Amino acid sequence: DPWANDAWKALNPQMWEASNHNPLLMLNELDVSKADKSVKNELEDLVDRYEIFKKKPRPENLPTTVYFCMEFGIHESFPIYSGGLGILAGDHIRSSGDMGIPLNGIGILYKHGYFSQMIVAGRQVSANPDYTKHTLPIKPLNNKDGNRVEFTIPMGHEEVRVQVWTLKVGHATLYLLDTNLLGAPDHHKELTNNLYGIGNSLRIKQEILLGIGGIRLLDNIDAHPEVYHLNEGHAAFLICELVIKKLQTGVPMTKAWEEVREKCVFTTHTPVPAGHDKFYWNEVNAVLGPYRDSLGLPPGSFMNAGREDLTDLDSPLSMTVLGLKGSRKANGVSSLHGEVSREMFKHLEYPIGHITNGVHPSAWMAPEQADLFEKKLTKDWEDHFLDPEYWEKCKKITHKDTWNLRKKLRKKLIQEVRQRLGSPKILNDKFLTIGFARRFATYKRAALIFRDPVRLLKILDKGVQLIFSGKAHPADVPGQEVLATILKYTRHPDFYGKVIFLPNYDASIGRYLTQGCDVWLNNPRRPREASGTSGQKASLNGNLNLSILDGWWPEGFDGKNGWSIDANHKDREWKDLEEQDETDANALYELLEKEIFPTFEQPKKWTDMMKHTWTTCIPVFNTHRMVQDYVNQIYIKSEEAVEETTEIRQK
């Protein structure tokens, strides 16, 4: 709900921050009856909107789907996500829950979530706070007899006990697996301590928990979905478990694989070969060997299920290859990413399409903008996210209203940054504000804009400022070095107060930045950005993208709703990365000097671009449209597609 976070904050700003934006914690500790009347009215409005939502008609005769993902970004108070994959999964289940699509999710409940980031002496330091279950809006999953649902999964020569928690997301339910049970040994509890624990040994165990554990959960609650959606290769062991269940009923191996494929669909998010999880014989055999032997399967069964080359016994099990082999349909998450994925796996000859990602259309929208839409469009604006024609109405919003909105959101962001950093004099609420916030992987080139510090400083001195945020994985040393470079400039006397870093990036910071920044910067090495949904959040709020033509931007950019850094050389294949960085940095500076800042000094021209961004991006790059595409193109079987896939498999 676009107004919800502001309503909770108004209830008690101090406790809102102290509770990590946790409404349940606040309700447990505050007497709401003593709140100001205006706050009570806001909370009553929330309840009223929820009651109206529950009564909306839901579609019928759609296939029941279970959506598996390693992480889900539902809200910052529930930090079981690290970045784009988790936020996308959270928005997918949120839109499904909004639209009444019969889809539920399966993930993992992490005791420490993803790591918390602290900055000490100009370097990232990671911390792992505990998130106690009683402070989260979850319930234990009980069976019909009222007893806790509990089962085991195979892990080497041991059986690991698993319990389950549930979270309601609109009409959808998210099931979360947990091995942190009373009396369990520490090495079992470790599986659900941290998202993306360090090392392949822990990673494969977590993926067994998600895939095999997810199927055993469904067996325990007697759920029989028509579609199993694997969001990334992390969940691919579910395919093996489904095949094994078929074998145990007497179905022959070939037939078992065919029947499982008909129920599974697979989404890949990774355009970089090194980003696909691979496990070697010693790693797989250590944790799944005894399970395989107990089933009477040959020694190479699990390995061969995910090997690219069955003749090479030294080759690893690729979770992506397993996902492709075991699914009737596969897709990338943008048109360009679909092309890259097909090229990457062309030797396997599996069909890979694409469905372009989106963002939840109201959860990421500034409440001030929602107010404007309610006043200037129609009261039912939230019912039109799938109607491009409706959003043409944005062009009638006046320049004054649009520019006032822009100033209000920029000021709100800067006040928040000052408060979080305890620095009341940094930044200027009248300056052109550029945001960059994402995972600090090296290919995203966070420090590209500092390639020529002297030239950048001249741009900043005109009235421009930069706000950065993001984390580098604790095992990603090169990414941490990039982050250290950014931090160095935030402390440099010439850049101090003009270049800011906000630590401990989360969904809350993401909302403030994508709503409050005037320009959203994205400069990865093309084509390594699968989608890049943070730019979609910015465009949802009328803010202009300054981006490499990578991920979703080639589909979104039309020359009038933002800027392309590499428009003149987007199809060039770079052999010298230094030359590529130099070329892209120069193009970036030139755009800032000759187009972006001069346009910002002409507010009428700027607001025309904002309104054009609303009309071109809101009805296209949202998860309501995305989920509808998944239903129509992936979940519902097309006889022609099934025949085409079968023909390729046989070949």
Side-chain angles (χ1 to χ4, degrees), residues 293-336:
D293 295 343
S294 72
L295 296 165
L297 295 171
S301 298
F302 289 114
M303 293 298 299
N304 286 343
R307 274 188 173 130
E308 293 188 44
D309 182 0
L310 297 182
T311 64
D312 181 3
L313 297 183
D314 292 326
S315 63
L317 179 160
S318 163
M319 298 299 279
T320 300
V321 171
L322 176 55
L324 290 169
K325 282 186 176 181
S327 300
R328 64 175 166 82
K329 277 203 170 184
N331 69 282
V333 290
S334 68
S335 178
L336 179 58

Side-chain angles (χ1 to χ4, degrees), residues 95-234:
S95 276
S96 298
D98 287 353
M99 299 166 74
I101 306 296
L103 178 145
N104 294 316
I106 294 181
I108 296 175
L109 181 66
Y110 301 97
K111 179 182 178 182
H112 303 304
Y114 196 50
F115 76 94
S116 288
Q117 181 192 58
M118 297 182 293
I119 304 301
V120 178
R123 308 290 299 189
Q124 172 182 284
V125 177
S126 58
N128 295 296
D130 284 359
Y131 294 97
T132 52
K133 291 153 188 170
H134 73 274
T135 67
L136 299 172
I138 55 176
K139 294 180 180 179
L141 178 63
N142 296 329
N143 58 26
K144 294 175 183 176
D145 299 325
N147 300 318
R148 289 293 303 267
V149 168
E150 190 178 306
F151 53 89
T152 63
I153 57 170
M155 203 69 71
H157 292 283
E158 299 180 292
E159 291 286 320
V160 175
R161 290 162 56 213
V162 182
Q163 62 185 359
V164 186
W165 303 82
T166 63
L167 171 73
K168 289 296 290 180
V169 187
H171 293 299
T173 299
L174 176 58
Y175 297 93
L176 296 168
L177 309 172
D178 177 22
T179 61
N180 199 341
L181 284 81
L182 189 66
D186 288 344
H187 64 285
H188 290 185
K189 293 180 179 180
E190 181 188 29
L191 300 188
T192 55
N193 273 350
N194 295 90
L195 171 60
Y196 301 135
I198 296 173
N200 264 14
S201 176
L202 180 55
R203 176 66 68 90
I204 191 173
K205 290 174 184 176
Q206 290 183 321
E207 296 187 3
I208 289 168
L209 171 62
L210 179 62
I212 295 178
I215 297 303
R216 295 193 177 186
L217 157 65
L218 295 172
D219 289 343
N220 268 269
I221 61 175
D222 200 27
H224 307 284
E226 296 166 79
V227 180
Y228 298 85
H229 186 167
L230 291 69
N231 193 44
E232 228 356 318
H234 307 129

Side-chain angles (χ1 to χ4, degrees), residues 12 48 97 407 496 533 630 632 648:
N12 188 310
D48 290 344
K407 291 191 294 184
Y496 181 77
T533 52
Y630 272 103
N632 293 334
I648 290 172

Side-chain angles (χ1 to χ4, degrees), residues 435-447:
F436 182 103
R438 50 186 51 82
R439 188 164 50 91
F440 271 71
T442 52
Y443 77 86
K444 293 177 184 283
R445 301 189 296 182

Side-chain angles (χ1 to χ4, degrees), residues 7-22:
W8 293 115
K9 185 174 183 177
L11 182 61
N12 188 310
Q14 291 76 26
M15 186 169 284
W16 176 246
E17 296 304 328
S19 68
N20 191 35
H21 300 183
N22 187 327

